[in-house]
Amino acid sequence: MTPLRSFLRAETNELHRDLDDLIGPLASPSDYGRFLAGTYRHRAAVEAALRETCVSLPLGWRPRELASVLELDLAELGVHRPRAMPFSLSNDIASVLGASYVLEGSALGARVLVRDALRLGFEADRGARYLSAQSASPETWRDFLACLESLGRADWNRAADSARQVFSHAIQAFSSEKLPAA
Ligand code: HEM
C-alpha cells in the first residue's frame, strides 16, 4: 500500500469503524433508503465544497461528483431528498486531498454494499446507480492515489485532519438519519 494512503487509513480507521457500525447491514429497503439519504446529506455538501475549492488550486485531478446519481436512486426508492448538511473545507491542496481520500475511498466499501442493494432487488439502472457507479470504476481510485502520493510529508497531518473532518461529517449525517422524522 502506498505510504500516504496507509497513513490516512490508520489515522481514520477508528472513525471508519464507527461509521460502519452506524450504517449497519443493509438488510431491508428501508435500511437502504436511510443509507442513501445519509450518503446524500453528507456527500452533496462535501462534493460542493470540493468543487468550489478545486477551481482555484493547481490539481491535475478532479473529484468524482455523484450527488446527481444519488438523487436518481432516492427518487426511484421514493425517498424524500434530504437537505445537504453544511460542510466547509480549507482552501489548500492537502485538505482537498484528505477530503477526497474519504469520498473516493468510499468506492472500495461500495463493492461490498452494492451486493446488498442488488440482493434487495435494485439494479445498476434502478435504485442502485450510486453504488454500481462507484464499484464499476476501479481506475478512478488508482488515478486518485497517483495524485495523492504527490503530497509532501510536511502536509500529511493537514490531509489527515481534513479526512477526519469528512468522516465526522458523515457520522453526523448518518446519525441524523436515525432520528425520527420531526
Ligand atoms: C456500512 C458501510 C461501509 C462498509 C461495510 C465499508 C467497508 C469498507 C471496506 C471493506 C473497505 C476496504 C476495501 C478494500 O480494501 O478493498 C473500505 C474502505 C474505505 N471506506 Fe468504507 N465502508 C462503508 C462505508 C463507508 C463510508 C460511508 C465512507 C465515507 C464516507 C467510507 C470510506 C472508506 C475509505 C476512505 C476507505 C479506504 C480505506 C483504505 O485506504 O483502504 N466507507 N470500506
Side-chain angles (χ1 to χ4, degrees), residues 43-54:
R43 181 154 188 139
V46 180
E47 280 186 6
L50 280 167
R51 189 187 315 128
E52 251 173 62
T53 310
C54 280

Side-chain angles (χ1 to χ4, degrees), residues 1 5-6 8-10 12 16 19-26 35 39 42-43 100-113 116 130 141 145 166-167 170-171 174:
M1 198 178 287
R5 177 191 174 184
S6 302
L8 293 177
R9 189 187 219 203
T12 57
H16 186 284
L19 190 55
D20 279 0
D21 291 346
L22 191 59
I23 295 171
L26 305 181
F35 166 77
T39 304
H42 153 67
R43 181 154 188 139
S100 301
Y101 165 77
V102 184
L103 292 201
E104 297 298 331
S106 68
L108 302 182
R111 292 183 209 152
V112 180
L113 297 177
D116 293 339
Y130 167 72
W141 175 243
L145 286 180
V166 175
F167 265 113
I171 287 170
F174 280 101

Side-chain angles (χ1 to χ4, degrees), residues 19-168:
L19 190 55
D20 279 0
D21 291 346
L22 191 59
I23 295 171
L26 305 181
S28 67
S30 66
D31 287 345
Y32 178 51
R34 268 196 302 277
F35 166 77
L36 289 176
T39 304
Y40 184 84
R41 194 187 282 280
H42 153 67
R43 181 154 188 139
V46 180
E47 280 186 6
L50 280 167
R51 189 187 315 128
E52 251 173 62
T53 310
C54 280
V55 171
S56 61
L57 293 174
L59 259 180
W61 173 89
R62 285 282 174 269
R64 190 164 185 204
E65 298 204 18
L66 292 171
S68 59
V69 176
L70 274 167
E71 285 177 22
L72 292 175
D73 281 341
L74 286 165
E76 283 157 358
L77 262 81
V79 174
H80 179 70
R81 170 155 54 99
R83 226 173 297 155
M85 202 178 78
F87 179 75
S88 67
L89 180 68
S90 302
N91 191 11
D92 61 85
I93 289 181
S95 300
V96 164
L97 290 176
S100 301
Y101 165 77
V102 184
L103 292 201
E104 297 298 331
S106 68
L108 302 182
R111 292 183 209 152
V112 180
L113 297 177
V114 73
R115 287 186 226 134
D116 293 339
L118 299 179
R119 209 174 298 124
L120 291 170
F122 300 103
E123 294 163 21
D125 58 1
R126 192 187 55 84
R129 294 168 191 266
Y130 167 72
L131 289 173
S132 301
Q134 280 198 310
S135 40
S137 53
E139 71 284 356
T140 310
W141 175 243
R142 281 198 301 271
D143 291 348
F144 170 67
L145 286 180
C147 182
L148 181 72
E149 296 301 329
S150 63
L151 193 70
R153 183 70 183 85
D155 288 327
W156 284 18
N157 283 329
R158 187 184 278 274
D161 282 345
S162 178
R164 277 191 293 267
Q165 278 163 23
V166 175
F167 265 113
S168 301

